[in-house]
Amino acid sequence: MLDLELLRSFVSVVEAGGFTRASERVHRTQSTVSQQIKRLEEDVGQVLLHRDGKDVRPTEAGERLLSYARRLLTLAEEARDVLREPDGGAVRLGIPEDFAAYRLAKLLGAFSRSHPNLRLDVRADQSKNLARDLERGELDLALYKREAGGKDAIAVWPEEVHWVTSKSHPIDVNASSLPLIGFPLGCLYRAGAIHALESAGRAWHMSYSSSSLAGIQAAVAAGMGLSILSEMSIQSDHRVLTAKDGFAPINRTEVALMAAPNASSATLRLADRLAEFCEDVQAKAA
């Protein structure tokens, strides 16, 4: 019999590309994860990983085992969820819109397919609304943006945000009043942009306000003004403005993953998947 805990550590090492990040995912020390991989290799009688310094990749035998390991772990998760919540239950998830437009939809679709008895209710909204609704008990899990330095999250990731204008129709950075594009009142980015401009003694006016990320992206591309966008939301027809253009970096923000106090096992399972997703995004941006 293959030990599921050993398989979980093996899959985490392969997906993370090393023992350090894998140990964080499975909440074990690096030495424990290394010992688990050694035990698994002894069980199957094959070397599963090539170790080249910090670089770790699966051997041919490891690649063959990887697909089976993932299927066994998924099946075990489904069995636990069905037994704990025979009627399936529901998970109410809140996410920022730029995450909804970025690869997260694929992850959520895969999670739904692997949990056919679970109803997934996803809502994309402004971070302030997601934080409020989680506190009210109207969400089970929320991924939202906040000022850096907050506490009590399952996990947090620093976020890179930038001033942007149109690449083809850039704004006049020396205009007497700068046209600003942003989400409605209460948005963290909007508040940060206004604070930064006023601190620099620059006059501004709202030229375009929308609750739709796609609308804001289009307005920036069309040259209607400047905005603040996360790195994943910047498009090819946008140009990043820097301190050389007169736009200093704004206050740091972070993405926080938060769960309700009484979160179900299925909710925590989804939280693990979201944490892995955010870690991967962070690693690729580094």
Side-chain angles (χ1 to χ4, degrees), residues 221-237:
M224 295 186 65
L226 75 157
S227 186
I228 287 178
L229 291 176
S230 64
E231 195 160 293
M232 68 173 65
S233 301
I234 297 173
Q235 299 183 323
S236 60
D237 47 7

Side-chain angles (χ1 to χ4, degrees), residues 158-222:
E159 186 181 40
E160 293 293 333
V161 295
H162 303 277
W163 290 100
V164 292
T165 184
S166 171
K167 183 176 289 185
S168 302
H169 312 285
I171 66 161
D172 177 5
V173 296
N174 297 312
S176 59
S177 178
L178 293 171
L180 193 60
I181 299 170
F183 287 98
L185 190 65
C187 169
L188 187 65
Y189 291 174
R190 174 175 173 147
I194 292 172
H195 176 74
L197 292 176
E198 292 185 344
S199 296
R202 303 296 303 271
W204 60 273
H205 63 277
M206 291 303 301
S207 63
Y208 189 94
S209 179
S210 173
S211 58
S212 164
L213 173 63
I216 289 175
Q217 290 170 322
V220 171

Side-chain angles (χ1 to χ4, degrees), residues 140-155:
D140 302 304
L141 187 66
L143 188 69
Y144 61 82
K145 305 178 183 194
R146 66 186 188 182
E147 293 183 1
K151 297 180 180 179
D152 302 325
I154 295 175

Side-chain angles (χ1 to χ4, degrees), residues 4-5 28 35 68 86 96 100 155-156 163 182 198 230 235 238 250 265 274:
L4 291 177
E5 289 303 317
R28 298 284 191 275
Q35 291 170 9
Y68 288 103
V156 296
W163 290 100
E198 292 185 344
S230 64
Q235 299 183 323
H238 297 163
I250 64 167
S265 60
L274 289 171

